[in-house]
Amino acid sequence: MKVKRLFSVMLIVALMTGVLSCGQKNMNKDVSGVDPDTAPHITVALRSGVYSDAIKSCIVKFETNNQVICDVLELGEDELHSAILDDSENAEGQYDLCMVDGSWMAEMTGRDVLLNLSEEGYELDDDIIKATKAICYKDGNVYLAPYYGNVTVLLFNKKVIDQAGFSPEQITSLEDIKKICTAAKNKGNLGFMYRGDSPNNYVVDFLPILRSYGGWVVDENNNPTINTKEFKNALIFYMDLIDTGKAESRDSLIMAIANGAAAMAVGWPGWYTPTARSSSDYIAITGKVTNDSEEYNANVYGIWTVGIPKNSTKKDLAILLLKYLMDPEVQKGTIEYGGVPCRYSSLTDEEVIKENPPFKAVFKALENGVYRPVMEEWPDFYTILGNKMELIINGEKGIDEGLNEAQAELEEMLNRKE
């Protein structure tokens, strides 16, 4: 009797599994009107999170119109980077369209990973915010298209800055930021939060401060500029600023600001987009140390682009998909799913702004942003610099000693790779 009962249970489970499997298969067919068993497939490798959500929100219509199935792979940042590079070694690649971080451009083109889109008849249109297009070209040809407008912004708690005597419109310099964070600390809360969980995060969170001081990590020839007056002054200010708060992971940082436990941090639209009802909000970083000082472009791009691997076996379909994803109206439709187009038509649309007030800040930041250095060695560069910054910030090295060591090690690394 027990054996029969066990068999019956197993049979029911098997039947239910079969129904669910068929149901999922039929659901895919019903949604797009495409039969996955007979239609061609293309593989799309995306950065997981809201970035891939934006693309997935509009992909069914493309499948229907072109009778194709898009197999979507969602990967973390490091995993996606490695996967694209590793697959580029194969004669026939398994990826047909990929998301590419702007900071990977030099590495990707240097290793001949990406398809020349200009040669395939695709060019970037004038509706795309001009500065965001700079990274996408090599020798006058387009290799990438700016898809998701991720850029540094100043994330803050509305109530905390109000208690410090400021409105968002009055935060016009680094000194204003410091006053607010000091006031928060004096009330027993945390001031400025920062991410101290990786060399990359140490560097990237600091870059808007460095730009506000008129400094940068390299010169026009990509030579390191770490042991400079601008870098030192910016780091001294940054250390004073972060002394009002503490280091946290991204999610803990967002939560601390949302609940009013902390005042401010460098944030990104790809993390979190506030609404009019949110306790948090953000503005573009002005790029001024004081209200009377010179203003620099201080918002740093973390834009996710889309491109096609050169070894794709489905280039024609991939190009169709890229053109579809970059269509202005298609991109505007992704906003309700977390999309942030790098387009004037999206970020200046009155209805869009009404529903998404923070897009005013995003638009300003994207218009006045800068890309990280276009160099194949950037991952090695930020690792060396970030490790030295961590030692300085933790008091294990003096500022002059740490910056001089970083300069020397970066020069050695770059010379070694020539």
Side-chain angles (χ1 to χ4, degrees):
M1 180 66 70
K2 289 183 179 179
V3 172
K4 286 183 179 180
R5 194 171 296 162
L6 178 60
F7 176 80
S8 298
V9 171
M10 292 175 65
L11 180 60
I12 291 169
V13 170
L15 287 170
M16 289 182 66
T17 303
V19 169
L20 289 172
S21 299
C22 293
Q24 181 65 42
K25 182 176 176 181
N26 289 335
M27 184 184 72
N28 289 340
K29 185 175 179 181
D30 291 341
V31 169
S32 65
V34 181
D35 188 338
D37 293 330
T38 60
H41 287 239
I42 58 175
T43 302
V44 184
L46 305 179
R47 169 69 165 89
S48 59
V50 69
Y51 319 103
S52 59
D53 291 344
I55 287 182
K56 289 188 299 178
S57 72
C58 64
I59 215 163
V60 169
K61 186 175 180 181
F62 174 82
E63 292 179 319
T64 302
N65 291 347
N66 295 278
Q67 290 298 291
V68 61
I69 294 293
C70 297
D71 296 319
V72 175
L73 299 177
E74 299 181 71
L75 306 171
E77 183 174 355
D78 293 338
E79 188 181 8
L80 178 60
H81 178 249
S82 299
I84 296 171
L85 290 178
D86 291 345
D87 191 57
S88 70
E89 302 295 328
N90 301 320
E92 294 187 351
Q94 62 175 314
Y95 308 131
D96 300 300
L97 182 138
C98 300
M99 272 188 154
V100 176
D101 185 87
S103 65
W104 304 346
M105 173 61 170
E107 184 179 27
M108 296 288 178
T109 53
R111 293 176 59 167
D112 202 25
V113 173
L114 300 171
L115 184 68
N116 185 326
L117 298 177
S118 293
E119 291 182 352
E120 303 296 329
Y122 178 77
E123 297 293 341
L124 301 177
D125 62 74
D126 291 338
D127 184 46
I128 300 172
I129 295 171
K130 185 177 179 180
T132 68
K133 297 191 283 189
I135 200 75
C136 300
Y137 294 90
K138 181 181 180 183
D139 300 328
N141 292 307
V142 177
Y143 286 84
L144 296 170
Y147 182 78
Y148 193 101
N150 215 29
V151 61
T152 55
V153 289
L154 184 67
L155 178 66
F156 59 85
N157 180 279
K158 297 176 184 178
K159 186 175 180 180
V160 171
I161 69 162
D162 180 65
Q163 290 174 339
F166 281 81
S167 66
E169 297 78 18
Q170 294 173 314
I171 308 172
T172 58
S173 69
L174 295 184
E175 287 296 336
D176 292 335
I177 293 171
K178 187 176 178 181
K179 287 177 183 176
I180 293 169
C181 292
T182 300
K185 183 180 180 181
N186 290 340
K187 290 179 180 294
N189 294 324
L190 294 168
F192 198 87
M193 306 286 282
Y194 69 102
R195 294 178 300 159
D197 51 359
S198 74
N200 185 40
N201 288 340
Y202 266 111
V203 173
V204 173
D205 277 20
F206 169 67
L207 290 182
I209 309 298
L210 176 60
R211 285 296 303 137
S212 298
Y213 272 84
W216 196 230
V217 289
V218 294
D219 62 17
E220 63 275 9
N221 298 313
N222 276 349
N223 297 312
T225 53
I226 307 305
N227 59 347
T228 62
K229 177 183 69 176
E230 292 81 6
F231 199 107
K232 180 179 178 178
N233 289 340
L235 187 55
I236 290 171
F237 176 88
Y238 187 62
M239 290 172 67
D240 287 342
L241 182 62
I242 63 178
D243 189 51
T244 66
K246 68 173 185 174
E248 282 288 2
S249 64
R250 183 194 71 178
D251 291 343
S252 296
L253 179 152
I254 293 170
M255 184 61 67
I257 293 174
N259 64 27
M264 292 180 166
V266 172
W268 301 81
W271 289 1
Y272 165 70
T273 302
T275 67
R277 297 176 296 279
S278 301
S279 59
S280 302
D281 201 352
Y282 47 60
I283 58 172
I285 299 169
T286 64
K288 299 176 70 172
V289 176
T290 68
N291 292 326
D292 298 326
S293 63
E294 185 175 352
E295 183 173 342
Y296 297 92
N297 288 356
N299 301 287
V300 179
Y301 291 143
I303 289 171
W304 283 95
T305 67
V306 286
I308 298 170
K310 192 174 182 179
N311 62 357
S312 164
T313 60
K314 308 275 181 60
K315 292 185 181 68
D316 290 344
L317 287 172
I319 291 165
L320 280 177
L321 176 58
L322 185 143
K323 289 179 178 178
Y324 170 80
L325 293 175
M326 290 302 297
D327 179 88
E329 291 305 312
V330 172
Q331 288 201 306
K332 188 178 289 186
T334 69
I335 291 173
E336 63 179 299
Y337 300 96
V340 183
C342 300
R343 290 191 170 276
Y344 296 106
S345 60
S346 290
L347 299 182
T348 60
D349 183 283
E350 290 184 5
E351 287 301 315
V352 170
I353 297 300
K354 183 179 178 181
E355 293 296 322
N356 304 273
F359 274 10
K360 287 184 178 180
V362 174
F363 178 55
K364 183 176 180 181
L366 287 173
E367 279 203 302
N368 299 284
V370 292
Y371 277 103
R372 281 160 276 184
V374 182
M375 57 194 311
E376 292 186 53
E377 303 86 358
W378 179 243
D380 292 331
F381 193 105
Y382 70 63
T383 299
I384 292 171
L385 178 56
N387 285 333
K388 292 297 179 183
M389 287 181 62
E390 181 179 16
L391 294 174
I392 294 170
I393 288 171
N394 291 339
E396 298 175 51
K397 278 192 182 294
I399 292 179
D400 289 326
E401 179 188 12
L403 296 186
N404 286 333
E405 286 183 4
Q407 179 77 20
E409 290 181 24
L410 289 168
E411 289 176 353
E412 180 183 358
M413 180 270 292
L414 293 172
N415 290 332
R416 190 169 60 242
K417 294 203 170 188
E418 287 182 353

